[in-house]
Amino acid sequence: MTTALNSLSGRRKPLQEASLLEGPMLLLQSIRGFRTNRSLLWLACVPVALFGLGIFNLAAFAEELPELNAAFLANNLWLLVATILVIFMNAGFAMVEAGMCRQKNAVNILAKNLFVFALAVTAYWFIGYSLMYGGSVVDGWLYFKGLFFDPAVSAETISEAGLVPTVDFLFQAAFAGTAATIVSGLVAERVKFGEFVVFALVLTAVIYPIAGSWEWNGGWLNSVGDKEFIDFAGSSIVHSVGAWAGLVGAMLLGPRIGKYVDGRTQAIPGHNMAIATLGALILWIGWYGFNPGSQLAMDQWVPYVAVTTTLAAAGGAIGATVISTMTSGKPDLTMIINGILAGLVSITAGCGNLTLVGSWVAGLIGGVIVVFSVSALDSAGIDDPVGAFSVHGVCGVWGTLVVGLWGFDIQGDGSPLGLLVGGGIEQLGIQALGCAAYAIWALVTCWIAWSIIGGLFGGIRVTEEEETMGLDIGEHGMEAYPDFASSGN
């Protein structure tokens, strides 16, 4: 009887007639590239390679570990839950950006936000995590500990209720993905897909990790004078770095076609405010992983940070709604959305160092700031389709500075840190120094990165024809809503 293995020389047996043992081989041989013996030989190497990796991993985990204790389990379980919430923020970012932009670019925006997280995790796993949390190379400024990271759990980690390396990596990788996603909003509707993802790789592999190490790995910002720079969950380290990176891209790209006519700013409405609103609510929920998760333990301060986060978001929504109503005559939904996000960014640095009243006021002022910032950016000729720089950049700086204005050492001895509460001016100066350092670092390195990418690939902006037709067709060959008329474009 002719078998599946020698059927290449005669009639190929139909898959329906194959036995259970013959079926997998027939299925492989039906795929182009797997019809030769050489291809099948290479395929056979896969389990051998996986077996080798398995032996390596078994050796890494060979240490005898003590019995797991409640604190260890609680800390790691909480951080895993927080990580999932932060990862889910990618859905919120995608929905806000897609909803606030035009229908003809929806697929492109969704593709960028979805794919960039996969790239960010890969780049951060390959080298970014090591650059951010490795050993010192240039003390205070540069860190590195080889490619990838060691996932082994030590007995000391368990006995001291520490975080296992894999959970810590996943949480930090989610933050790296957030920084890259912020860039997407600033360059929306006119950037080339390929060039954007190359930049995202550079940002998450090198630029963001080095910046983060200056504070979160005991770098030079961690000990300036008698005090340290405070950025609890990343108003500057994550949000402003992502915003400065996107701002450089937006300036190099120039405004969208039709944004400015005869020197006057023209509104380009989003196509789906329902999905943008849902995205904002998802981001608000995800922030409970972002801020309380940055406590890096399940302790009595996690709910406190969750409350300061909530109050700031509420204050931001109120501030933006009131000011937008006063300036435009009617409450603007896009400003309510950006007000909530502005409040959340405004509390991210100080969520563990502000009182409840101070948190609400910080968010309120952030909501006010974002309305005027969006208008100022339009007047300056910088096209930011979703207000990403105003939310993450301007309010990221504000959220960092507010710690130096009315912050307290709440989780310590309760002493005042801010200038307006009797803590002196030193903390405010350190906070301003940190803001300036991250702005300069991001602006310089991202300008270099964007310029090199543009030079290598013939520019970073799509053609005028592509932009007019829509990036969904030009970049992806598909439409988000193929069964509906595109009158909104």
Side-chain angles (χ1 to χ4, degrees):
M1 181 182 291
T2 304
T3 65
L5 289 175
N6 60 24
S7 63
L8 290 174
S9 58
R11 184 183 68 86
R12 182 183 299 276
K13 180 182 290 188
L15 191 60
Q16 294 87 342
E17 299 176 9
S19 69
L20 186 62
L21 293 175
E22 295 170 339
M25 189 59 69
L26 281 173
L27 186 62
L28 279 173
Q29 290 173 343
S30 67
I31 302 173
R32 180 177 297 177
F34 287 114
R35 293 179 182 174
T36 66
N37 291 334
R38 178 174 293 183
S39 298
L40 295 175
L41 181 64
W42 280 110
L43 185 65
C45 294
V46 173
V48 177
L50 292 176
F51 176 75
L53 289 173
I55 293 297
F56 176 79
N57 286 334
L58 285 174
F61 289 97
E63 181 183 356
E64 188 172 340
L65 301 177
E67 185 177 351
L68 305 183
N69 58 72
F72 170 81
L73 291 172
N75 290 343
N76 283 277
L77 178 60
W78 161 238
L79 197 67
L80 182 59
V81 171
T83 299
I84 293 169
L85 288 172
V86 177
I87 291 173
F88 191 49
M89 289 174 69
N90 286 279
F93 281 119
M95 294 169 79
V96 169
E97 184 182 343
M100 287 191 176
C101 290
R102 288 168 291 183
Q103 174 182 325
K104 64 183 180 180
N105 298 311
V107 167
N108 176 258
I109 290 165
L110 296 173
K112 281 190 302 172
N113 281 270
L114 189 60
F115 189 53
V116 77
F117 181 68
L119 290 172
V121 170
T122 303
Y124 197 71
W125 167 61
F126 182 73
I127 191 173
Y129 186 70
S130 179
L131 284 171
M132 196 160 176
Y133 292 104
S136 178
V137 177
V138 179
D139 193 36
W141 294 90
L142 183 63
Y143 300 83
F144 187 66
K145 194 180 179 181
L147 302 179
F148 309 107
F149 72 99
D150 183 4
V153 181
S154 67
E156 184 182 9
T157 299
I158 295 176
S159 61
E160 296 182 358
L163 299 173
V164 300
T166 45
V167 169
D168 184 56
F169 161 76
L170 199 58
F171 184 69
Q172 302 299 338
F175 273 52
T178 299
T181 303
I182 292 167
V183 179
S184 177
L186 274 143
V187 299
E189 300 200 288
R190 73 267 202 211
V191 72
K192 293 179 181 177
F193 181 82
E195 283 69 3
F196 169 77
V197 299
V198 171
F199 177 79
L201 277 172
V202 175
L203 179 68
T204 53
V206 180
I207 297 173
Y208 164 76
I210 291 176
S213 71
W214 295 348
E215 162 62 10
W216 289 342
N217 194 25
W220 68 275
L221 274 175
N222 196 251
S223 55
V224 181
D226 297 331
K227 300 183 179 180
E228 69 175 77
F229 175 71
I230 296 174
D231 193 353
F232 189 90
S235 283
S236 279
I237 297 171
V238 180
H239 293 277
S240 79
V241 167
W244 290 117
L247 181 69
V248 175
M251 294 176 70
L252 291 174
L253 283 166
R256 291 167 292 173
I257 297 172
K259 178 63 178 178
Y260 297 98
V261 178
D262 297 328
R264 300 184 62 181
T265 304
Q266 305 296 313
I268 302 179
H271 83 281
N272 193 331
M273 295 311 299
I275 198 173
T277 302
L278 181 56
L281 289 170
I282 290 174
L283 285 171
W284 191 338
I285 293 170
W287 235 282
Y288 293 118
F290 209 95
N291 286 1
S294 294
Q295 189 70 26
L296 302 180
M298 185 62 241
D299 59 21
Q300 73 274 24
W301 294 109
V302 168
Y304 182 88
V305 172
V307 172
T308 58
T309 300
T310 305
L311 290 173
I318 294 169
T321 303
V322 170
I323 296 301
S324 69
T325 302
M326 292 173 60
T327 55
S328 64
K330 293 182 179 180
D332 185 338
L333 177 57
T334 63
M335 286 303 169
I336 298 174
I337 291 171
N338 279 336
I340 291 170
L341 302 182
L344 290 165
V345 174
S346 297
I347 195 60
T348 297
C351 53
N353 295 92
L354 296 182
T355 64
L356 300 186
V357 173
S359 301
W360 187 85
V361 175
L364 179 78
I365 295 175
V368 172
I369 289 172
V370 79
V371 176
F372 291 112
S373 177
V374 167
S375 178
L377 231 64
D378 281 343
S379 299
I382 300 172
D383 187 9
D384 180 1
V386 300
F389 182 76
S390 298
V391 168
H392 301 279
V394 177
C395 289
V397 171
W398 160 244
T400 307
L401 293 176
V402 74
V403 178
L405 291 174
W406 55 76
F408 289 86
D409 185 15
I410 288 176
Q411 297 187 30
D413 59 10
S415 60
L417 299 173
L419 174 65
L420 302 181
V421 292
I425 199 172
E426 184 180 5
Q427 189 67 56
L428 180 60
I430 293 172
Q431 297 300 106
L433 175 65
C435 290
Y438 286 119
I440 293 170
W441 167 256
L443 286 170
V444 172
T445 56
C446 293
W447 181 82
I448 293 171
W450 279 119
S451 299
I452 292 175
I453 292 168
L456 290 175
F457 298 103
I460 60 175
R461 182 164 181 157
V462 298
T463 64
E464 183 175 339
E465 181 184 3
E466 245 186 314
E467 185 176 346
T468 302
M469 178 176 56
L471 274 63
D472 288 2
I473 296 297
E475 292 282 287
H476 305 276
M478 63 175 64
E479 294 179 275
Y481 311 101
D483 297 329
F484 296 89
S486 300
S487 59
N489 290 336

